[in-house]
Amino acid sequence: MQNNTKKIKFIVPLISVFLGLLIGGIIMLISGYPPIEAYAALFEGIFGESYYRGETIRQMSPLILSGLAVAFAFRTGLFNIGVEGQLLVGWLAAVYVGIFVDAPAIIHIPLAVLAAGVAGALWGSVPGILKARFKVHEVITTIMMNYIALYSTNEIIRSFMLAPGERTENVKESASLASPFLQELTDNSTLHFGIIVAVIAAIVMWFLLWRTTLGYELRAVGFNQHASQYAGINVSKNIVLSMAISGAFAGIAGSMEGLGTYQYMTINAGFTGVGFDGIAVALLGANSAIGVILGAALFGGLKIGALNMQAMAGVPTELVGIVIALIIFFVACSYLVHWLMNRVNRGGKI
């Protein structure tokens, strides 16, 4: 039975991706676009040139960390919709340290990443405290905190860190994750060392949840708060801690943008969308560390490949958004996928 459950967790995302691409192709055909040519251009844009491969890997870094933030909270029975806001405050904290602190790179980079993690953790702990102390649902508070983060970071930049171009200054070179070697290797893409940080974070999440006493307590609280409390586990403490750790992952995702991709932070007119994409990545990855990495690779590839699809096949990038939405839909509607698998197996139970 356990093997069947693992099999389903592995197969459902694959079938969901296939169905998303299939129905997306049908929509293209109905809309007057050649689906075979479009998908050929899409995959060429993902795997064809080293530049696109570099951009895909670069896109994966914040997606992995955002996905880990959502997955960690979900593993502990919480739903963190505030990853976007936690990412923004982490981004600002990393850029602030990158601009105003003088230190050698071996200290400056870890310090800036740590600042981002702490900022995200503090921001994430607020909904955790409200949940633990006053039973306020974390979905509501995290959504509200997203807007507070957006406008607060904009005001801080505007008041204290503004440079020409409605943005901050660039971070110091000693705080930068940029890699001339990786950029040259990938035909001048924006690939940086952030992917290493993201993979390490995935390992940390796996180890923390499955190889530590703390992780056992956090998962126990997620399964059943009443039983955990009866067993002597401090439920309130673990709720706050879970949201703080989830926020830390999200904050570090922001540092990938501030120290790696852009080297600065702009005054944002709206959300970046990376934090919300993390929800889809975690869902597709079944809230596991390795699944999140694979989900981020798929989403990063689709987003980068969509640009080539538009250039080569004339297909609007919005159609890739439809394909992504369909994939998420089928992952969420896993019952439908299970039904189809049962039909294929002639009604047998899986």
Side-chain angles (χ1 to χ4, degrees), residues 3 49 101 178 189 237 271 280 315-316:
N3 290 334
E49 298 180 10
V101 172
S189 73
K237 183 195 77 173
F271 294 122
V315 178

Side-chain angles (χ1 to χ4, degrees), residues 6-330:
K6 291 181 178 179
K7 177 183 175 183
I8 289 172
K9 285 184 178 180
F10 178 74
I11 292 177
V12 167
L14 293 180
I15 295 177
S16 300
V17 171
F18 172 76
L19 291 175
L21 293 173
L22 177 63
I23 297 178
I26 294 172
I27 293 173
M28 290 181 201
L29 197 61
I30 294 173
S31 304
Y33 299 104
I36 295 177
E37 183 180 341
Y39 282 138
L42 176 70
F43 291 113
E44 175 69 21
I46 299 172
F47 304 109
E49 298 180 10
S50 60
Y51 172 82
Y52 293 116
R53 291 195 295 272
E55 288 297 316
T56 297
I57 297 172
R58 187 270 305 166
Q59 185 96 0
M60 285 173 60
S61 302
L63 286 174
I64 289 172
L65 287 155
S66 296
L68 292 175
V70 177
F72 188 90
F74 194 82
R75 283 286 186 182
T76 57
L78 299 169
F79 200 8
N80 186 5
I81 308 293
V83 172
E84 181 72 25
Q86 294 148 19
L87 180 148
L88 288 172
V89 298
W91 187 341
L92 181 64
V95 168
Y96 182 89
V97 172
I99 293 173
F100 295 108
V101 172
D102 289 314
I106 194 170
I107 297 174
H108 206 176
I109 292 174
L111 185 63
V113 173
L114 179 63
V118 171
L122 291 174
W123 204 260
S125 66
V126 174
I129 293 170
L130 293 173
K131 170 83 170 182
R133 182 69 180 84
F134 302 106
K135 308 302 180 186
V136 181
H137 204 288
E138 72 276 6
V139 169
I140 303 299
T141 52
T142 50
I143 290 174
M144 294 171 65
M145 293 287 286
N146 283 334
Y147 289 94
I148 297 172
L150 174 64
Y151 296 119
S152 297
T153 53
N154 282 349
E155 184 58 29
I156 291 171
I157 293 172
R158 192 177 288 111
S159 300
F160 304 106
M161 303 171 66
L162 190 63
E166 294 291 293
R167 52 164 239 171
T168 68
E169 297 177 1
N170 282 8
V171 299
K172 290 184 171 65
E173 188 175 347
S174 59
S176 174
L177 287 170
S179 169
F181 170 74
L182 292 177
Q183 291 171 1
E184 185 178 351
L185 195 66
T186 54
D187 198 19
N188 294 319
S189 73
T190 54
L191 180 61
H192 52 77
F193 287 124
I195 189 64
I196 299 174
V197 177
V199 172
I200 292 173
I203 296 171
V204 168
M205 173 185 149
W206 170 82
F207 183 82
L208 180 60
L209 281 177
W210 300 102
R211 292 293 184 271
T212 65
T213 303
L214 174 62
Y216 176 81
E217 289 188 1
L218 289 169
R219 288 185 291 115
V221 171
F223 282 126
N224 192 317
Q225 292 185 12
H226 299 294
S228 299
Q229 190 169 13
Y230 181 78
I233 297 174
N234 189 329
V235 173
S236 295
K237 183 195 77 173
N238 279 281
I239 288 174
V240 176
L241 191 57
S242 172
M243 288 299 295
I245 295 172
S246 174
F249 283 125
I252 295 173
S255 72
M256 298 298 98
E257 303 290 63
L259 305 178
T261 305
Y262 298 104
Q263 310 284 309
Y264 58 84
M265 186 174 185
T266 60
I267 294 177
N268 293 293
F271 294 122
T272 66
V274 176
F276 298 118
D277 287 340
I279 300 172
V281 169
L283 186 63
L284 185 62
N287 299 302
S288 67
I290 186 65
V292 165
I293 293 175
L294 295 175
L298 174 65
F299 275 71
L302 288 174
K303 287 179 177 294
I304 298 300
L307 303 176
N308 192 60
M309 190 174 74
Q310 183 181 37
M312 300 297 294
V315 178
T317 55
E318 288 77 9
L319 278 172
V320 172
I322 293 174
V323 171
I324 292 174
L326 287 168
I327 292 171
I328 298 169
F329 171 79
F330 285 116

